Amino acid sequence: MTLSTPSEPLVVFFPPAGGTASSCGPFSRSAEDVLDVSVINYELPGRGRRMHEPLLHSIDDVVDDFAWYIEHFADAGPRRLIYVGHSFGCYVAWAVQSAALRRAQLSSLEAELLVLACNTPLHLRENLLGETEFDKDSLQSSRHEWALSYLVRLNAIPAPILRDRRMLNIVVDAFLADITVADGLSFSCTELQISSPIISISARDDQATSEHERWREMTTGRTDHVVVSGGHFPAYDDLVPLWRQISHRL
């Protein structure tokens, strides 16, 4: 993390479901290397450096937590904000922006631009946990098994964590908490429509999400759509061309 001055953008990265701040690494490192910006990776409670804190299960709690986080971990004073959400992080970035536009006490969190990567537009999303049938007699273990299978299918868990049962349980629990947050976002497109510009990002080999261009339906502002190489978790080398392509917007 580096600190910004009011004249340069502070780019805030929101991680995927179950992810830590370090999960934003390929996005934030490539942005720092290509652009003249400062970056901060948001760390949700219950993981990473905030392991000792309880997980959050509602979007209102996440928005309030982010407001606290950025005040404590970013420099004080005026700042130009750009939000970059990856997967689940798209919805958190969106919710923070929406809250900043609707709640006067959060107006300082309004971002100039949203970059939303590798996720289906919020108003088209189907609830993951609501769609999944669980054994009612062993609900917790069934949810855990489903989440683990889903994450493995996306190649979202590093091999060392797969071999560490304690760490694996922490990741899966965080993932389920984040999906509960996402499933609680039940707003329509018209209720959530904003005026902020959006750049939506999709990856060529990503089979987990779709219809990225339809983020345009959720804003009256300018929208662009950029395609990068890789899958649901693009690598550093896949993202460098992205920042070069959109650098004029930052």
Side-chain angles (χ1 to χ4, degrees), residues 174-204:
F175 173 80
L176 284 169
D178 293 347
I179 293 302
T180 300
V181 169
D183 282 353
L185 288 165
S186 58
F187 306 103
S188 72
C189 173
T190 54
E191 288 173 326
L192 281 175
Q193 195 172 54
I194 60 173
S195 58
S196 314
I198 292 175
I199 299 176
S200 62
I201 311 298
S202 60
R204 289 190 181 91

PDB file of all heavy atoms in Angstrom, residues 174-204:
ATOM      1  N   ALA A 174     -14.911 -17.698   5.133  1.00  0.00           N
ATOM      2  CA  ALA A 174     -14.926 -16.324   4.623  1.00  0.00           C
ATOM      3  C   ALA A 174     -15.680 -16.252   3.300  1.00  0.00           C
ATOM      4  O   ALA A 174     -16.445 -15.308   3.053  1.00  0.00           O
ATOM      5  CB  ALA A 174     -13.496 -15.813   4.455  1.00  0.00           C
ATOM      6  N   PHE A 175     -15.473 -17.252   2.451  1.00  0.00           N
ATOM      7  CA  PHE A 175     -16.179 -17.296   1.164  1.00  0.00           C
ATOM      8  C   PHE A 175     -17.694 -17.359   1.383  1.00  0.00           C
ATOM      9  O   PHE A 175     -18.455 -16.623   0.748  1.00  0.00           O
ATOM     10  CB  PHE A 175     -15.701 -18.502   0.362  1.00  0.00           C
ATOM     11  CG  PHE A 175     -16.468 -18.739  -0.906  1.00  0.00           C
ATOM     12  CD1 PHE A 175     -16.190 -17.996  -2.044  1.00  0.00           C
ATOM     13  CD2 PHE A 175     -17.461 -19.705  -0.972  1.00  0.00           C
ATOM     14  CE1 PHE A 175     -16.909 -18.208  -3.233  1.00  0.00           C
ATOM     15  CE2 PHE A 175     -18.174 -19.928  -2.134  1.00  0.00           C
ATOM     16  CZ  PHE A 175     -17.893 -19.171  -3.270  1.00  0.00           C
ATOM     17  N   LEU A 176     -18.136 -18.225   2.283  1.00  0.00           N
ATOM     18  CA  LEU A 176     -19.572 -18.360   2.538  1.00  0.00           C
ATOM     19  C   LEU A 176     -20.151 -17.069   3.112  1.00  0.00           C
ATOM     20  O   LEU A 176     -21.278 -16.671   2.767  1.00  0.00           O
ATOM     21  CB  LEU A 176     -19.827 -19.526   3.483  1.00  0.00           C
ATOM     22  CG  LEU A 176     -19.710 -20.917   2.855  1.00  0.00           C
ATOM     23  CD1 LEU A 176     -19.706 -21.999   3.929  1.00  0.00           C
ATOM     24  CD2 LEU A 176     -20.846 -21.156   1.860  1.00  0.00           C
ATOM     25  N   ALA A 177     -19.409 -16.396   3.983  1.00  0.00           N
ATOM     26  CA  ALA A 177     -19.877 -15.120   4.520  1.00  0.00           C
ATOM     27  C   ALA A 177     -20.026 -14.095   3.401  1.00  0.00           C
ATOM     28  O   ALA A 177     -21.022 -13.355   3.339  1.00  0.00           O
ATOM     29  CB  ALA A 177     -18.909 -14.606   5.585  1.00  0.00           C
ATOM     30  N   ASP A 178     -19.056 -14.058   2.500  1.00  0.00           N
ATOM     31  CA  ASP A 178     -19.106 -13.086   1.401  1.00  0.00           C
ATOM     32  C   ASP A 178     -20.244 -13.393   0.434  1.00  0.00           C
ATOM     33  O   ASP A 178     -20.900 -12.477  -0.079  1.00  0.00           O
ATOM     34  CB  ASP A 178     -17.767 -13.069   0.654  1.00  0.00           C
ATOM     35  CG  ASP A 178     -16.629 -12.530   1.503  1.00  0.00           C
ATOM     36  OD1 ASP A 178     -16.905 -11.947   2.560  1.00  0.00           O
ATOM     37  OD2 ASP A 178     -15.455 -12.691   1.097  1.00  0.00           O
ATOM     38  N   ILE A 179     -20.481 -14.670   0.170  1.00  0.00           N
ATOM     39  CA  ILE A 179     -21.586 -15.025  -0.711  1.00  0.00           C
ATOM     40  C   ILE A 179     -22.921 -14.679  -0.054  1.00  0.00           C
ATOM     41  O   ILE A 179     -23.876 -14.255  -0.730  1.00  0.00           O
ATOM     42  CB  ILE A 179     -21.536 -16.530  -1.063  1.00  0.00           C
ATOM     43  CG1 ILE A 179     -20.289 -16.822  -1.918  1.00  0.00           C
ATOM     44  CG2 ILE A 179     -22.796 -16.947  -1.814  1.00  0.00           C
ATOM     45  CD1 ILE A 179     -20.217 -16.032  -3.216  1.00  0.00           C
ATOM     46  N   THR A 180     -23.019 -14.809   1.259  1.00  0.00           N
ATOM     47  CA  THR A 180     -24.219 -14.385   1.967  1.00  0.00           C
ATOM     48  C   THR A 180     -24.442 -12.888   1.793  1.00  0.00           C
ATOM     49  O   THR A 180     -25.568 -12.424   1.581  1.00  0.00           O
ATOM     50  CB  THR A 180     -24.115 -14.727   3.464  1.00  0.00           C
ATOM     51  OG1 THR A 180     -23.967 -16.149   3.615  1.00  0.00           O
ATOM     52  CG2 THR A 180     -25.349 -14.274   4.228  1.00  0.00           C
ATOM     53  N   VAL A 181     -23.355 -12.110   1.854  1.00  0.00           N
ATOM     54  CA  VAL A 181     -23.443 -10.664   1.611  1.00  0.00           C
ATOM     55  C   VAL A 181     -23.961 -10.404   0.199  1.00  0.00           C
ATOM     56  O   VAL A 181     -24.878  -9.608  -0.011  1.00  0.00           O
ATOM     57  CB  VAL A 181     -22.073  -9.992   1.810  1.00  0.00           C
ATOM     58  CG1 VAL A 181     -22.093  -8.549   1.307  1.00  0.00           C
ATOM     59  CG2 VAL A 181     -21.654 -10.029   3.269  1.00  0.00           C
ATOM     60  N   ALA A 182     -23.372 -11.078  -0.788  1.00  0.00           N
ATOM     61  CA  ALA A 182     -23.779 -10.871  -2.180  1.00  0.00           C
ATOM     62  C   ALA A 182     -25.228 -11.290  -2.407  1.00  0.00           C
ATOM     63  O   ALA A 182     -25.984 -10.608  -3.107  1.00  0.00           O
ATOM     64  CB  ALA A 182     -22.852 -11.644  -3.119  1.00  0.00           C
ATOM     65  N   ASP A 183     -25.627 -12.404  -1.815  1.00  0.00           N
ATOM     66  CA  ASP A 183     -26.995 -12.880  -1.984  1.00  0.00           C
ATOM     67  C   ASP A 183     -28.011 -11.930  -1.350  1.00  0.00           C
ATOM     68  O   ASP A 183     -29.186 -11.945  -1.701  1.00  0.00           O
ATOM     69  CB  ASP A 183     -27.157 -14.277  -1.377  1.00  0.00           C
ATOM     70  CG  ASP A 183     -26.592 -15.370  -2.277  1.00  0.00           C
ATOM     71  OD1 ASP A 183     -26.201 -15.061  -3.416  1.00  0.00           O
ATOM     72  OD2 ASP A 183     -26.544 -16.533  -1.827  1.00  0.00           O
ATOM     73  N   GLY A 184     -27.548 -11.108  -0.406  1.00  0.00           N
ATOM     74  CA  GLY A 184     -28.436 -10.141   0.223  1.00  0.00           C
ATOM     75  C   GLY A 184     -28.668  -8.898  -0.613  1.00  0.00           C
ATOM     76  O   GLY A 184     -29.523  -8.069  -0.275  1.00  0.00           O
ATOM     77  N   LEU A 185     -27.929  -8.752  -1.714  1.00  0.00           N
ATOM     78  CA  LEU A 185     -28.113  -7.610  -2.608  1.00  0.00           C
ATOM     79  C   LEU A 185     -29.231  -7.943  -3.584  1.00  0.00           C
ATOM     80  O   LEU A 185     -29.012  -8.584  -4.605  1.00  0.00           O
ATOM     81  CB  LEU A 185     -26.814  -7.317  -3.362  1.00  0.00           C
ATOM     82  CG  LEU A 185     -25.691  -6.712  -2.526  1.00  0.00           C
ATOM     83  CD1 LEU A 185     -24.370  -6.815  -3.268  1.00  0.00           C
ATOM     84  CD2 LEU A 185     -25.984  -5.262  -2.203  1.00  0.00           C
ATOM     85  N   SER A 186     -30.416  -7.495  -3.280  1.00  0.00           N
ATOM     86  CA  SER A 186     -31.577  -7.879  -4.085  1.00  0.00           C
ATOM     87  C   SER A 186     -32.228  -6.675  -4.757  1.00  0.00           C
ATOM     88  O   SER A 186     -33.428  -6.647  -4.972  1.00  0.00           O
ATOM     89  CB  SER A 186     -32.602  -8.585  -3.203  1.00  0.00           C
ATOM     90  OG  SER A 186     -32.994  -7.740  -2.124  1.00  0.00           O
ATOM     91  N   PHE A 187     -31.417  -5.660  -5.069  1.00  0.00           N
ATOM     92  CA  PHE A 187     -31.959  -4.450  -5.672  1.00  0.00           C
ATOM     93  C   PHE A 187     -32.114  -4.615  -7.179  1.00  0.00           C
ATOM     94  O   PHE A 187     -31.411  -5.384  -7.819  1.00  0.00           O
ATOM     95  CB  PHE A 187     -31.041  -3.264  -5.382  1.00  0.00           C
ATOM     96  CG  PHE A 187     -30.755  -3.063  -3.932  1.00  0.00           C
ATOM     97  CD1 PHE A 187     -29.545  -3.441  -3.391  1.00  0.00           C
ATOM     98  CD2 PHE A 187     -31.714  -2.511  -3.105  1.00  0.00           C
ATOM     99  CE1 PHE A 187     -29.279  -3.264  -2.046  1.00  0.00           C
ATOM    100  CE2 PHE A 187     -31.463  -2.330  -1.760  1.00  0.00           C
ATOM    101  CZ  PHE A 187     -30.240  -2.703  -1.220  1.00  0.00           C
ATOM    102  N   SER A 188     -33.027  -3.838  -7.721  1.00  0.00           N
ATOM    103  CA  SER A 188     -33.209  -3.844  -9.178  1.00  0.00           C
ATOM    104  C   SER A 188     -32.255  -2.859  -9.826  1.00  0.00           C
ATOM    105  O   SER A 188     -31.651  -2.029  -9.160  1.00  0.00           O
ATOM    106  CB  SER A 188     -34.646  -3.462  -9.534  1.00  0.00           C
ATOM    107  OG  SER A 188     -34.850  -2.087  -9.298  1.00  0.00           O
ATOM    108  N   CYS A 189     -32.123  -2.960 -11.112  1.00  0.00           N
ATOM    109  CA  CYS A 189     -31.250  -2.062 -11.862  1.00  0.00           C
ATOM    110  C   CYS A 189     -31.654  -0.600 -11.644  1.00  0.00           C
ATOM    111  O   CYS A 189     -30.808   0.255 -11.425  1.00  0.00           O
ATOM    112  CB  CYS A 189     -31.312  -2.418 -13.345  1.00  0.00           C
ATOM    113  SG  CYS A 189     -30.454  -1.273 -14.433  1.00  0.00           S
ATOM    114  N   THR A 190     -32.939  -0.306 -11.707  1.00  0.00           N
ATOM    115  CA  THR A 190     -33.367   1.086 -11.596  1.00  0.00           C
ATOM    116  C   THR A 190     -33.128   1.642 -10.203  1.00  0.00           C
ATOM    117  O   THR A 190     -32.822   2.818 -10.037  1.00  0.00           O
ATOM    118  CB  THR A 190     -34.860   1.221 -11.956  1.00  0.00           C
ATOM    119  OG1 THR A 190     -35.619   0.307 -11.159  1.00  0.00           O
ATOM    120  CG2 THR A 190     -35.088   0.904 -13.427  1.00  0.00           C
ATOM    121  N   GLU A 191     -33.246   0.799  -9.177  1.00  0.00           N
ATOM    122  CA  GLU A 191     -32.999   1.264  -7.816  1.00  0.00           C
ATOM    123  C   GLU A 191     -31.533   1.593  -7.588  1.00  0.00           C
ATOM    124  O   GLU A 191     -31.200   2.449  -6.775  1.00  0.00           O
ATOM    125  CB  GLU A 191     -33.438   0.194  -6.808  1.00  0.00           C
ATOM    126  CG  GLU A 191     -34.948   0.044  -6.694  1.00  0.00           C
ATOM    127  CD  GLU A 191     -35.317  -1.137  -5.820  1.00  0.00           C
ATOM    128  OE1 GLU A 191     -34.582  -2.146  -5.847  1.00  0.00           O
ATOM    129  OE2 GLU A 191     -36.343  -1.074  -5.131  1.00  0.00           O
ATOM    130  N   LEU A 192     -30.663   0.908  -8.295  1.00  0.00           N
ATOM    131  CA  LEU A 192     -29.231   1.061  -8.060  1.00  0.00           C
ATOM    132  C   LEU A 192     -28.533   1.951  -9.088  1.00  0.00           C
ATOM    133  O   LEU A 192     -27.353   2.204  -8.963  1.00  0.00           O
ATOM    134  CB  LEU A 192     -28.551  -0.319  -8.071  1.00  0.00           C
ATOM    135  CG  LEU A 192     -28.697  -1.147  -6.803  1.00  0.00           C
ATOM    136  CD1 LEU A 192     -28.093  -2.527  -7.009  1.00  0.00           C
ATOM    137  CD2 LEU A 192     -28.030  -0.476  -5.630  1.00  0.00           C
ATOM    138  N   GLN A 193     -29.237   2.396 -10.092  1.00  0.00           N
ATOM    139  CA  GLN A 193     -28.567   3.114 -11.171  1.00  0.00           C
ATOM    140  C   GLN A 193     -27.874   4.365 -10.640  1.00  0.00           C
ATOM    141  O   GLN A 193     -28.428   5.112  -9.839  1.00  0.00           O
ATOM    142  CB  GLN A 193     -29.555   3.486 -12.269  1.00  0.00           C
ATOM    143  CG  GLN A 193     -28.864   3.896 -13.552  1.00  0.00           C
ATOM    144  CD  GLN A 193     -29.843   4.075 -14.694  1.00  0.00           C
ATOM    145  OE1 GLN A 193     -30.809   4.812 -14.567  1.00  0.00           O
ATOM    146  NE2 GLN A 193     -29.605   3.399 -15.795  1.00  0.00           N
ATOM    147  N   ILE A 194     -26.659   4.575 -11.081  1.00  0.00           N
ATOM    148  CA  ILE A 194     -25.859   5.705 -10.650  1.00  0.00           C
ATOM    149  C   ILE A 194     -25.426   6.502 -11.884  1.00  0.00           C
ATOM    150  O   ILE A 194     -25.794   6.164 -13.016  1.00  0.00           O
ATOM    151  CB  ILE A 194     -24.614   5.245  -9.865  1.00  0.00           C
ATOM    152  CG1 ILE A 194     -23.734   4.330 -10.746  1.00  0.00           C
ATOM    153  CG2 ILE A 194     -25.012   4.534  -8.583  1.00  0.00           C
ATOM    154  CD1 ILE A 194     -22.422   3.960 -10.118  1.00  0.00           C
ATOM    155  N   SER A 195     -24.647   7.550 -11.671  1.00  0.00           N
ATOM    156  CA  SER A 195     -24.169   8.366 -12.782  1.00  0.00           C
ATOM    157  C   SER A 195     -22.670   8.195 -13.015  1.00  0.00           C
ATOM    158  O   SER A 195     -22.114   8.786 -13.939  1.00  0.00           O
ATOM    159  CB  SER A 195     -24.476   9.844 -12.515  1.00  0.00           C
ATOM    160  OG  SER A 195     -23.881  10.264 -11.296  1.00  0.00           O
ATOM    161  N   SER A 196     -22.031   7.391 -12.182  1.00  0.00           N
ATOM    162  CA  SER A 196     -20.582   7.229 -12.268  1.00  0.00           C
ATOM    163  C   SER A 196     -20.175   6.430 -13.502  1.00  0.00           C
ATOM    164  O   SER A 196     -20.854   5.469 -13.875  1.00  0.00           O
ATOM    165  CB  SER A 196     -20.062   6.497 -11.024  1.00  0.00           C
ATOM    166  OG  SER A 196     -20.626   7.038  -9.858  1.00  0.00           O
ATOM    167  N   PRO A 197     -19.067   6.791 -14.156  1.00  0.00           N
ATOM    168  CA  PRO A 197     -18.582   5.970 -15.263  1.00  0.00           C
ATOM    169  C   PRO A 197     -18.123   4.602 -14.786  1.00  0.00           C
ATOM    170  O   PRO A 197     -17.646   4.450 -13.658  1.00  0.00           O
ATOM    171  CB  PRO A 197     -17.412   6.783 -15.828  1.00  0.00           C
ATOM    172  CG  PRO A 197     -17.059   7.767 -14.792  1.00  0.00           C
ATOM    173  CD  PRO A 197     -18.244   7.983 -13.927  1.00  0.00           C
ATOM    174  N   ILE A 198     -18.277   3.613 -15.654  1.00  0.00           N
ATOM    175  CA  ILE A 198     -17.903   2.234 -15.341  1.00  0.00           C
ATOM    176  C   ILE A 198     -17.078   1.671 -16.487  1.00  0.00           C
ATOM    177  O   ILE A 198     -17.424   1.835 -17.660  1.00  0.00           O
ATOM    178  CB  ILE A 198     -19.153   1.343 -15.142  1.00  0.00           C
ATOM    179  CG1 ILE A 198     -19.918   1.745 -13.881  1.00  0.00           C
ATOM    180  CG2 ILE A 198     -18.766  -0.131 -15.068  1.00  0.00           C
ATOM    181  CD1 ILE A 198     -21.219   0.976 -13.705  1.00  0.00           C
ATOM    182  N   ILE A 199     -15.991   0.994 -16.131  1.00  0.00           N
ATOM    183  CA  ILE A 199     -15.264   0.160 -17.084  1.00  0.00           C
ATOM    184  C   ILE A 199     -15.447  -1.281 -16.628  1.00  0.00           C
ATOM    185  O   ILE A 199     -15.040  -1.642 -15.516  1.00  0.00           O
ATOM    186  CB  ILE A 199     -13.764   0.514 -17.141  1.00  0.00           C
ATOM    187  CG1 ILE A 199     -13.575   1.962 -17.580  1.00  0.00           C
ATOM    188  CG2 ILE A 199     -13.035  -0.438 -18.096  1.00  0.00           C
ATOM    189  CD1 ILE A 199     -12.110   2.419 -17.566  1.00  0.00           C
ATOM    190  N   SER A 200     -16.113  -2.090 -17.426  1.00  0.00           N
ATOM    191  CA  SER A 200     -16.290  -3.504 -17.085  1.00  0.00           C
ATOM    192  C   SER A 200     -15.210  -4.324 -17.767  1.00  0.00           C
ATOM    193  O   SER A 200     -14.824  -4.056 -18.907  1.00  0.00           O
ATOM    194  CB  SER A 200     -17.681  -3.989 -17.493  1.00  0.00           C
ATOM    195  OG  SER A 200     -17.871  -3.891 -18.889  1.00  0.00           O
ATOM    196  N   ILE A 201     -14.728  -5.311 -17.035  1.00  0.00           N
ATOM    197  CA  ILE A 201     -13.623  -6.154 -17.509  1.00  0.00           C
ATOM    198  C   ILE A 201     -14.087  -7.606 -17.546  1.00  0.00           C
ATOM    199  O   ILE A 201     -14.671  -8.101 -16.577  1.00  0.00           O
ATOM    200  CB  ILE A 201     -12.396  -6.066 -16.562  1.00  0.00           C
ATOM    201  CG1 ILE A 201     -12.048  -4.605 -16.252  1.00  0.00           C
ATOM    202  CG2 ILE A 201     -11.206  -6.812 -17.155  1.00  0.00           C
ATOM    203  CD1 ILE A 201     -11.665  -3.779 -17.436  1.00  0.00           C
ATOM    204  N   SER A 202     -13.829  -8.277 -18.646  1.00  0.00           N
ATOM    205  CA  SER A 202     -14.052  -9.715 -18.701  1.00  0.00           C
ATOM    206  C   SER A 202     -12.772 -10.399 -19.163  1.00  0.00           C
ATOM    207  O   SER A 202     -11.935  -9.784 -19.818  1.00  0.00           O
ATOM    208  CB  SER A 202     -15.212 -10.061 -19.638  1.00  0.00           C
ATOM    209  OG  SER A 202     -14.958  -9.608 -20.947  1.00  0.00           O
ATOM    210  N   ALA A 203     -12.634 -11.666 -18.796  1.00  0.00           N
ATOM    211  CA  ALA A 203     -11.461 -12.452 -19.189  1.00  0.00           C
ATOM    212  C   ALA A 203     -11.886 -13.512 -20.200  1.00  0.00           C
ATOM    213  O   ALA A 203     -12.948 -14.133 -20.047  1.00  0.00           O
ATOM    214  CB  ALA A 203     -10.813 -13.105 -17.973  1.00  0.00           C
ATOM    215  N   ARG A 204     -11.063 -13.728 -21.208  1.00  0.00           N
ATOM    216  CA  ARG A 204     -11.443 -14.608 -22.326  1.00  0.00           C
ATOM    217  C   ARG A 204     -11.809 -16.021 -21.890  1.00  0.00           C
ATOM    218  O   ARG A 204     -12.719 -16.633 -22.437  1.00  0.00           O
ATOM    219  CB  ARG A 204     -10.298 -14.660 -23.350  1.00  0.00           C
ATOM    220  CG  ARG A 204     -10.102 -13.392 -24.133  1.00  0.00           C
ATOM    221  CD  ARG A 204      -9.132 -13.572 -25.285  1.00  0.00           C
ATOM    222  NE  ARG A 204      -8.944 -12.331 -26.006  1.00  0.00           N
ATOM    223  CZ  ARG A 204      -7.990 -11.433 -25.727  1.00  0.00           C
ATOM    224  NH1 ARG A 204      -7.149 -11.671 -24.742  1.00  0.00           N
ATOM    225  NH2 ARG A 204      -7.898 -10.321 -26.433  1.00  0.00           N
TER     226      ARG A 204
END
